[in-house]
Structures are given as structure tokens and as C-alpha cells.
Amino acid sequence: MLQIQIDGKQIAVQQGATVMEAAHELGTYIPHFCYHKKLSIAANCRMCLVEVEKAPKPLPACATPVTDGMVVHTHSAKAKQAQEGVMEFLLINHPLDCPICDQGGECQLQDLAVGYGKSSSRYQEEKRSVVGKDMGPLVSAAEMSRCIHCTRCVRFTEEIAGMQEIAMANRGEFSEIMPFIGKAVETELSGNVIDLCPVGALTSKPFRYDARSWELSRRKSISAHDALGSNLIVQTKDHTVRRVLPLENEAINECWIADRDRFAYEGLYHESRLKTPKIKHGGEWHEVDWQTALEYVRKTLDCIQKEDGKDQIGIWANPMNTVEELYLTKKLADGLGIKHLTTRLRQQDHRINSGLRGALWLGQGIESLAHADAVLVIGANLRKEQPLLTARLRRAAKNGMALSILASSPETLYMPLSAQEVLHPNEWTLRLQGWVQNLSSTIPNSLKSAEKSAIILGAEVQNHPDYAAIYAAAQELASATGSTLGILPQAANSVGADILEVNMGQTILEMQAQPKKAVLLFNVEPDVDVAGGAAAVAALKQAQSVMAFTPFESETLREVCDVMLPIAPFTETSGSFVNMEGRLQSFHGVVKGLADSRPLWKVLRVLGNVFELQGFEFNSSEQVLAEAIQPSSLPTKLNNSVNVVARANQPTNVLLRVGGVGIYHTDAIVRRSAPLQATNHAQTPVARVHSATLAQLGLQDGAMAVAKQNGASVQVQVLADDGLPKNVVHLPLHGDNAALGAMMNTIELAGA
């Protein structure tokens, strides 16, 4: 430990620490612009100049390492003169447009100018003007004259996002921050440059000129768009969500959020938002009140129970529903004697479910995974499934983690990899079993020789028709190498659903094969949220009654349903999620419900009362949670040890569809967010196929083809990609191809 004195206060710090870090630890503020604790040191702005005794001139605190016995003055006359000089320099060319700047009220330059700036400028020449830049649909760079060249944005895209999408061109007074020519800034984390910009050069394009920071109310919340459970600050005005920012939580999302979390709020007020209950009569939809709608649900279910039996009722619930909503769903099902309830909407192989000993989860904490020495990821599209977790793994890989990938398609991860094997998904089981037999191979050896290692299964494994066999082989490999086995849950509350043991009776595929007379949809859009969307819709069309509890209406729901009830999205209700590491996080609604929408847990509580069931006397979501889960018991309910013995039984010479769910098509809110749908990530995907497979199918590179799956057909463009295995079609799930059905199933390609 080194001893340092800052403004008369003594502190001991680690070898290699900077003066800035020592000051932060001491609670002493040093003004700065370019410094950020998560980024490399640039020392561009020079705002953090301090006086160090025995040094001939002021030194930048961010780039000056501590030496034993160092004496630092942050507010001496010499330090203040240096800081004021820097501030005067930074303001020379800065435009006087604070009244129209979106950063007004949150601008570091504005704040520090008050403390260190002069009342007037000595600069008499013309101010420099910089032409605005186009950085895509999410980030606005229209006023780059405000830029002070701190390079935070440049360092973020290279170091955290992985790919340098922003750079500084030219030198001296001609320096400009800009994207690469003809390219937008569109990594899955691009919105974080908005928070990083200390001035108003980079701002949120969807939020631009929408409101002033001092007009907004700040509310804490939890992301509902993936299983990480990112902590959010939701800013509201006039009972509407206007902006979403990260809430720092080092254990989960650090100080970042994914673009999916940041910009999805734009979908909350889409024109398809369901505002009042509706019932279909004679093929026409009519608005009704809640009492009428709930009474319709009661009479319909009572009628079907009497005429066809309780076995003819099924419930499909979205795993992004809260703990409270899922608990009351199961409680209602138990009370009514409904035997069939599922949240595993995309899972095709259910053999594994009978051998579960607890809820499947990451297997360890998020921070713990990032500190592993070796990690094997199987069947995951990491950047699409878990953007922020991928950023953690990227930093760990750069610091020496041996990260290996076994996947169905090559993914550009912008990080050093120990190994990346791309195989036909039906070969995964045999490859894992081979590694168990030969631990000296590169990948198993890296796991076995590591002090701490992990094997992680992604969505493509969980949705594979032979999931049980792959899981059994991965479990065996984990045991042989001493690795921790975990999965990447597919929805915000997938772990919570397993903890509550809500899944019972027939699976989603069984309910499609044997259509029910009545189906209740809880926040489910069957054409895109369910494995085999077309088959799901066909099964619902055979039902006498389909009752949708949904925030949004769609053409599919209007076609198959006879009643739709408006429920509130996560921003308008209180509730809880259990994230991938088994952490229970509760949140409150940040705005009141839109129009006549109601929180689903309240609707279920009232339904329990309508059916005169016992145990539905709840006044708050907190009461529901207290009955549903005891936080102290959570660790005992998490267990990835599965009692399953399964062998591969899938052929390897069939044409298989891979690619997972598009990053901006994961849930109803994201699918309706206009800014996200304007990105390249959300565009209609092409079908990528190995050139040898294309030739075998008689197709030309770049030609149009007809993709057929589960009796449905869609026109797609095909492109040759020799990075893919043979007999694999990379075609992510998108609204335009949802009719094709489930991932990891056989597909046909033929000339258009």
C-alpha cells in the first residue's frame, strides 16, 4: 500500500492507482470530462489538472500514478488557475446554444463552467463550426460543434461494445468525431455513448426535443426484455415514459444498458395498444366494460368445463410475466382444476422437465462468471441474447479468460477466443460426448486445467428438438472437467417460472397437436412468441374460445380470439423478476395505466373472486409476492443437476434452420419500438447457406427462394456463407417469417 496526501487528508491506496482513483476513494471531487472509471485513460481534456508538490507543473489526476508520500493539492491557486485555463480553452469554440440543447440541465460542461469558467470570454475570432453527422436512428450527432474531443464515445465503442464504430479524424483544430463513412452506430450497446457524452454533442434521437431534464420524474425499475435484469431509471412526464437510463448496479448491469432496454419504451404507446376490453360478436369487435368482460370469461370457462371437461382448457403464459402474475395464474388454474399450463413457449423437447431438481439458472453469479478462467458457451447467439453479459465476457476474454464457442453459425464477437467450433446442431451431442472421452482436446482441456470454469447453454440448445441429449452430454462434460453448468434463460422471469413450478400438464407442442376447447393467453402473441407460430395459430382457430390478456392487439389476436382484455406492461404495474443468477428484484409501476388497462395480477385477483375461489384476498403485489416466494429459500430452489439419460437421435444430414430470435423481436414491446425497428438489426433477414448446400439445392447466391416449414412458406433471399456448416440455414425469427415456425427444425428451400 502507498501513502498519499490529498488536500491535507491521508489515504493508503494500492500500487498502480491513479491520483483520480485515490481522490474518489477519499471523497474528494476533481473536475474532469474524459475520465471514466470503465474506460481506458486518455487524459485529453486536461480538466483534472492538480498541483503535486515537487512537480514543476500541474499534472492530470487521471493519468498520474500515485507514488509513496505524494502530496496533492486539488484546490490550490496553482491547480485552480490551470483548471480555469482549461475551461476557458474548452469554451472558445463551444456554441452558445444552451437554451436549445437536449443536454441542458445534465451537461458537465455547463456545470463546471459555473465553478471554473469566467464571466466573459477573451476570444474575439469566429467560432469553429462542425457539420453534424448521421449516426443512425438511435444516436443524434446533429450538433457536433459542441464536441470537446474527450473521446469517451470512441473508447466505449472499441473497448466495451467491441467494435470501433466512432473515431477521431484529422488533427489539431480540425479534429472531428465521426462514424465511419456510410455506416451508422448500431452495436447492441450504442445508446451508452449518449450517457457518456459530457456535453450535448451526442444525444438520444428518439428523445430529441421531447422534454427537459428538470421536467422529468425519475423512477427506478427493472428491465423486462432479457434475463439479466438490468436496473433502470425510467423518466416520466404527464404519466408517460419519456426516457430510460441505466441505474448503476455493479453486480448486474454495471453502469450500462442495452439499446433494447433503452429504446423499447417507444413501443409502449404504439397504435396497436389495447385500451379497453373487447368482445367479438358476429365477427365484429365491440368495446365493453371490465365487469362484462370478466363475466364473459367466467361463463365461457364454466360452460366448457361442464360440456367438455376441465381437461379441455389450457393456459399459455409468457415467461416475462412477473412472479406475482405467474403465481396467481397457477393459483387460478389450481382453483379451477385446469391441468395444462405452460410458460415454456419455445421449448420443443420436454423430456428434460421430468428430471428437473430445481430451477435452471446461470449456475453462479454474473460477476462470478466474468471472473472464470475458462468458459464454454454452447448454442448461443451471445450478442443478440445477452448484450450486456457479452460485454462482460469480452472484457474478461481480453484479460485472459479462455472463452470457447460451440455454435451452429459463426458469430462476430469482437473478442479473443480460445476456440470457436461451428457444427450442425445435430452434431453437438456427439461432439460433447467425444470431449468427455478425450479430455486432452483443446476445449475440454482448457476447462479441466482452469481453476474456475463454466459451461453455458444458450437458447438454441434449450429450443433444440433433442435438448435432453445435449443437456445430458453437457452435464457429463461439466462433471468430467470440474466446470459449473448453467443456462442463459430466454426471458426476464424464466427462472422465476421454474421456481414457482407453474408448468404442468401438457406442453405447448402437445396443446398444438391436441387443440383445446378454450385457451387463455397471458401476454402471448401466438404467431411470434410460440414455437411453431403457424401451428399455434391453427390450434387456436380450432378452439371454441380464446381469451387474450394482452397489452396489445394484433391481426392474429383479432382473428383467433373472442375476448381481449387490456393488461398493463411492466412500466405500469408493480412486480418482481428472478434474473439469471437467481436474484429476486422487485419494482413499482412508474406511470399509471394507459386508458382502461389493468395490471395482470389485479385482473387475476378479481377473476379469483368472480369464480368465488379462496385465497385471492390481496391488496398489493407485495402481499402476493410474500405468499409466492420466500427470498431466503431461493438458493435452495436453484439446481442445474438434471436426472436425464438421453442419447442423440437426430439425423445430421437434414436441412436445419438456425439463427434464434432477432434481437429486436423478442417481445411485444420491443417489436413495436419504431427506433429499434429502424436499425439494421431489425431488418428482414436473409437466409444464409453454405455454398455447397446452395449448389445441392439448385439455388444461386443472391437469388430469391421459397422457404417452407411446418406447412407454411415465405419468400426469402439466399446468400452464400461458407462460414456456416453444411445443411444449415441461418434465418433468425422475424415478424416477416414468423409463419415458418420454430427454430432448430427442418426447413426446405426451393427456387422462387
Side-chain angles (χ1 to χ4, degrees):
M1 300 292 284
L2 303 178
Q3 296 293 323
I4 180 176
Q5 186 183 105
I6 302 177
D7 295 339
K9 300 177 182 177
Q10 200 77 20
I11 187 173
V13 296
Q14 295 284 346
Q15 179 82 36
T18 64
V19 173
M20 180 72 80
E21 292 168 340
H24 280 185
E25 195 171 333
L26 197 59
T28 299
Y29 177 72
I30 298 176
H32 60 274
F33 293 113
C34 68
Y35 171 80
H36 192 277
K37 62 183 179 181
K38 295 291 183 179
L39 303 176
S40 62
I41 294 169
N44 288 337
C45 71
R46 318 305 285 183
M47 192 65 209
C48 63
L49 291 174
V50 295
E51 181 185 0
V52 178
E53 291 188 4
K54 300 180 181 179
K57 59 182 180 180
L59 301 176
C62 66
T64 302
V66 170
T67 58
D68 200 34
M70 178 181 279
V71 179
V72 178
H73 303 282
T74 66
H75 295 93
S76 66
K78 189 175 181 180
K80 196 164 182 181
Q81 183 184 15
Q83 292 161 358
E84 288 176 349
V86 170
M87 177 57 66
E88 185 177 16
F89 176 76
L90 291 176
L91 292 175
I92 280 176
N93 284 305
H94 199 79
L96 303 176
D97 61 353
C98 290
I100 64 161
C101 180
D102 257 6
Q103 200 81 337
E106 299 174 327
C107 177
Q108 285 180 255
L109 186 68
Q110 193 177 54
D111 293 341
L112 292 181
V114 174
Y116 302 91
K118 297 182 180 293
S119 58
S120 61
S121 175
R122 294 180 290 171
Y123 189 73
Q124 301 298 319
E125 291 76 18
E126 289 186 5
K127 287 183 178 285
R128 175 187 177 223
S129 179
V130 180
V131 177
K133 308 295 187 297
D134 182 11
M135 291 193 180
L138 304 180
V139 179
S140 172
E143 287 91 12
M144 293 306 292
S145 295
R146 302 169 184 165
C147 178
I148 62 170
H149 303 154
C150 70
T151 69
R152 278 184 174 185
C153 55
V154 176
R155 286 173 284 151
F156 173 83
T157 58
E158 183 177 10
E159 297 167 12
I160 307 298
M163 179 176 67
Q164 190 177 30
E165 294 185 297
I166 304 174
M168 181 179 288
N170 307 320
R171 301 187 68 180
E173 67 170 322
F174 302 105
S175 297
E176 292 184 45
I177 299 290
M178 60 177 67
F180 289 93
I181 297 172
K183 301 234 178 167
V185 180
E186 284 193 342
T187 66
E188 58 280 1
L189 305 175
S190 66
N192 289 288
V193 301
I194 299 166
D195 302 330
L196 286 171
C197 185
V199 296
L202 301 179
T203 55
S204 170
K205 188 170 282 189
F207 178 69
R208 187 169 165 83
Y209 299 144
D210 188 42
R212 292 298 195 181
S213 61
W214 55 84
E215 299 173 328
L216 301 173
S217 300
R218 297 164 62 90
R219 303 284 188 269
K220 296 179 181 179
S221 190
I222 305 296
S223 170
H225 306 300
D226 62 37
L228 191 76
S230 296
N231 289 205
L232 309 176
I233 295 174
V234 182
Q235 298 188 319
T236 68
K237 180 185 177 184
D238 299 332
H239 295 290
T240 58
V241 176
R242 300 300 182 90
R243 188 166 61 166
V244 176
L245 301 174
L247 175 62
E248 186 170 350
N249 187 330
E250 192 65 26
I252 299 174
N253 57 295
E254 301 178 277
C255 55
W256 319 116
I257 54 173
D259 289 352
R260 187 165 53 191
D261 301 326
R262 184 184 298 273
F263 299 107
Y265 75 91
E266 286 282 312
L268 291 170
Y269 308 107
H270 191 267
E271 60 185 4
S272 63
R273 184 72 186 271
L274 183 63
K275 297 180 175 64
T276 57
K278 292 182 178 181
I279 294 178
K280 187 190 291 182
H281 287 298
E284 297 291 328
W285 284 98
H286 303 275
E287 295 184 354
V288 297
D289 57 42
W290 270 97
Q291 185 177 351
T292 303
L294 292 175
E295 192 63 26
Y296 179 92
V297 172
R298 183 188 67 80
K299 289 180 178 178
T300 303
L301 290 179
D302 281 345
C303 181
I304 290 174
Q305 282 184 335
K306 290 176 182 177
E307 294 182 2
D308 303 290
K310 297 176 180 179
D311 193 59
Q312 286 300 310
I313 302 174
I315 299 177
W316 302 0
N318 198 316
M320 71 176 291
N321 291 340
T322 65
V323 168
E324 295 82 354
E325 292 164 352
L326 291 178
Y327 176 74
L328 290 180
T329 299
K330 187 173 189 299
K331 193 166 186 174
L332 181 70
D334 291 339
L336 297 178
I338 298 172
K339 302 175 183 178
H340 310 297
L341 165 60
T342 184
T343 63
R344 299 177 178 132
L345 303 180
R346 300 192 190 276
Q347 187 175 324
Q348 299 186 75
D349 183 5
H350 297 272
R351 293 173 296 166
I352 196 172
N353 298 340
S354 59
L356 293 176
R357 298 176 181 174
L360 299 181
W361 64 304
L362 187 61
Q364 58 191 305
I366 295 166
E367 285 188 296
S368 176
L369 176 64
H371 290 116
D373 301 304
V375 174
L376 168 63
V377 180
I378 306 171
N381 296 290
L382 276 173
R383 291 173 58 202
K384 294 180 179 179
E385 292 177 35
Q386 300 293 340
L388 284 177
L389 186 66
T390 305
R392 277 191 186 263
L393 292 175
R394 180 178 296 115
R395 185 172 66 234
K398 288 180 177 179
N399 291 333
M401 173 194 283
L403 181 62
S404 303
I405 304 291
L406 175 61
S408 61
S409 59
E411 183 182 11
T412 306
L413 294 170
Y414 307 115
M415 66 177 84
L417 297 175
S418 175
Q420 184 175 32
E421 291 202 22
V422 181
L423 296 176
H424 191 290
N426 290 351
E427 297 178 23
W428 290 349
T429 302
L430 293 176
R431 178 55 54 92
L432 292 171
Q433 291 171 348
W435 285 342
V436 173
Q437 301 302 318
N438 183 17
L439 295 177
S440 60
S441 301
T442 303
I443 292 177
N445 185 59
S446 70
L447 297 172
K448 188 174 177 61
S449 59
E451 185 175 335
K452 182 183 179 185
S453 59
I455 299 173
I456 305 297
L457 307 181
E460 288 198 331
V461 173
Q462 299 166 53
N463 298 335
H464 195 286
D466 211 13
Y467 177 24
I470 300 172
Y471 196 102
Q475 187 170 246
E476 194 175 353
L477 179 62
S479 177
T481 58
S483 304
T484 301
L485 181 64
I487 69 164
L488 294 177
Q490 297 181 67
N493 202 32
S494 295
V495 179
D498 283 352
I499 288 172
L500 295 171
E501 299 179 351
V502 298
N503 292 282
M504 57 187 185
Q506 292 181 348
T507 66
I508 190 70
L509 296 184
E510 289 171 336
M511 282 192 267
Q512 291 177 28
Q514 305 169 22
K516 303 299 175 187
K517 297 292 185 180
V519 179
L520 286 80
L521 303 177
F522 291 134
N523 197 16
V524 173
E525 295 189 310
D527 51 332
V528 284
D529 287 332
V530 177
V537 173
L540 294 176
K541 287 181 178 178
Q542 296 182 50
Q544 292 182 15
S545 177
V546 177
M547 292 158 273
F549 299 72
T550 174
F552 304 96
E553 53 185 322
S554 66
E555 286 298 327
T556 300
L557 289 178
R558 283 192 287 267
E559 183 181 5
V560 303
C561 297
D562 52 298
V563 60
M564 294 187 293
L565 297 95
I567 62 170
F570 75 103
T571 53
E572 299 170 16
T573 181
S574 56
S576 309
F577 295 132
V578 181
N579 75 347
M580 63 172 63
E581 64 175 9
R583 184 189 296 260
L584 179 68
Q585 299 187 104
S586 297
F587 58 91
H588 295 286
V590 298
V591 292
K592 66 181 183 181
L594 181 68
D596 212 17
S597 62
R598 301 284 188 272
L600 179 56
W601 74 266
K602 287 187 177 181
V603 176
L604 292 168
R605 179 199 64 188
V606 175
L607 264 180
N609 296 330
V610 168
F611 282 101
E612 299 180 351
L613 302 176
Q614 299 297 313
F616 281 81
E617 295 77 24
F618 300 105
N619 295 318
S620 67
S621 62
E622 288 80 6
Q623 291 179 353
V624 182
L625 179 63
E627 184 175 299
I629 290 180
Q630 297 297 323
S632 59
S633 68
L634 274 179
T636 64
K637 296 181 181 293
L638 304 171
N639 195 336
N640 287 334
S641 178
V642 175
N643 184 22
V644 60
V645 179
R647 298 301 173 195
N649 56 14
Q650 300 292 320
T652 59
N653 59 349
V654 296
L655 194 62
L656 205 71
R657 182 186 176 194
V658 304
V661 180
I663 184 172
Y664 297 142
H665 289 84
T666 50
D667 62 72
I669 301 173
V670 170
R671 289 192 288 266
R672 288 169 171 83
S673 172
L676 293 179
Q677 297 309 311
T679 64
N680 288 334
H681 297 293
Q683 302 312 301
T684 302
V686 298
R688 295 192 290 114
V689 189
H690 193 282
S691 58
T693 305
L694 273 184
Q696 188 179 347
L697 296 170
L699 298 172
Q700 297 294 319
D701 182 21
M704 297 301 296
V706 176
K708 297 179 180 179
Q709 192 180 351
N710 298 323
S713 60
V714 172
Q715 278 205 340
V716 296
Q717 185 184 18
V718 293
L719 295 179
D721 185 351
D722 287 348
L724 289 167
K726 295 177 181 178
N727 296 321
V728 160
V729 178
H730 186 275
L731 183 62
L733 179 68
H734 184 277
D736 293 343
N737 61 41
L740 292 176
M743 290 287 114
M744 314 305 289
N745 277 355
T746 56
I747 189 172
E748 298 177 33
L749 283 179

